[in-house]
C-alpha cells in the first residue's frame, strides 16, 4: 500500500510541475489497482487535461462525478475539458454546476468565457 501512496504523491508532484505524461506514467499502477477511487481519477484527469488528452480527461472527470456527484472541482475540470473540445453547451452545464456548488472567481470566469463563446457562435449563425 505504501508503494501506491508514494506513486500517487509522485504523480501529484509531477502534475504540479506541469509534467503530465510523467505523472501518468507514475500513476499507472495506482490507476490499475484503484480505478474506483475519486482522488485517483481526479489526478489522472488533471494529467490527461494537462497533456491535451481531452477525451481521456473527460472520461476521468465523468468517473469522479459518478463516484462523487458533489465534487465541484470535477465539474469545473470536466467543463474545461469540454470547452477545449469546443463543446460549449455541455461545458456551460458543468461550469454552472461547479459555480453553484463553489462560487469562486476561477469558476465564474470560466463560465463567463463559455457564455461569451456561445453568444458569439449564435451571432454568427
Amino acid at each position: 500500500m505504501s508503494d501506491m501512496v508514494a506513486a500517487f504523491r509522485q504523480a501529484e508532484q509531477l502534475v504540479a510541475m506541469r509534467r503530465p505524461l510523467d505523472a501518468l506514467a507514475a500513476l499507472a499502477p495506482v490507476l490499475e489497482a484503484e480505478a474506483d477511487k475519486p482522488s485517483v481519477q481526479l489526478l489522472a484527469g488533471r494529467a490527461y487535461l494537462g497533456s491535451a488528452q481531452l477525451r481521456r480527461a473527460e472520461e476521468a472527470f465523468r468517473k469522479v462525478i459518478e463516484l462523487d456527484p458533489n465534487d465541484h472541482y470535477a465539474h469545473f475540470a470536466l467543463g474545461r475539458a469540454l470547452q477545449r473540445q469546443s463543446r460549449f453547451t455541455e461545458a456551460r452545464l458543468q461550469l454552472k454546476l461547479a459555480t453553484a456548488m463553489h462560487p469562486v472567481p476561477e469558476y465564474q470566469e470560466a463560465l463567463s468565457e463559455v457564455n461569451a463563446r456561445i453568444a458569439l457562435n449564435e451571432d454568427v449563425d
Side-chain angles (χ1 to χ4, degrees):
M1 186 63 173
S2 62
D3 288 345
M4 293 293 171
V5 172
F8 184 86
R9 296 289 177 230
Q10 181 185 17
E12 278 183 321
Q13 289 175 338
L14 290 165
V15 166
M17 295 167 52
R18 297 179 188 256
R19 294 175 49 195
L21 295 176
D22 293 333
L24 288 166
L27 192 62
V30 183
L31 261 174
E32 188 173 315
E34 302 189 41
D36 61 337
K37 300 266 195 242
S39 60
V40 173
Q41 288 295 327
L42 194 62
L43 185 56
R46 290 175 55 211
Y48 289 133
L49 194 59
S51 62
Q53 296 181 59
L54 302 176
R55 290 282 187 187
R56 286 183 173 172
E58 177 185 347
E59 289 171 15
F61 296 132
R62 287 191 190 280
K63 180 75 170 175
V64 174
I65 292 166
E66 178 184 309
L67 296 167
D68 181 7
N70 296 317
D71 189 320
H72 61 85
Y73 182 80
H75 285 283
F76 168 73
L78 175 57
R80 282 301 210 189
L82 293 167
Q83 179 184 10
R84 288 180 59 187
Q85 295 176 66
S86 299
R87 293 164 57 192
F88 300 113
T89 303
E90 293 172 81
R92 177 168 52 187
L93 173 62
Q94 296 303 320
L95 294 170
K96 278 183 175 180
L97 287 168
T99 301
M101 290 180 199
H102 192 72
V104 296
E106 184 179 12
Y107 294 5
Q108 294 167 342
E109 289 168 15
L111 179 57
S112 292
E113 286 175 21
V114 167
N115 283 333
R117 190 61 186 259
I118 289 170
L120 182 63
N121 288 345
E122 288 172 356
D123 285 347
V124 172
D125 295 338

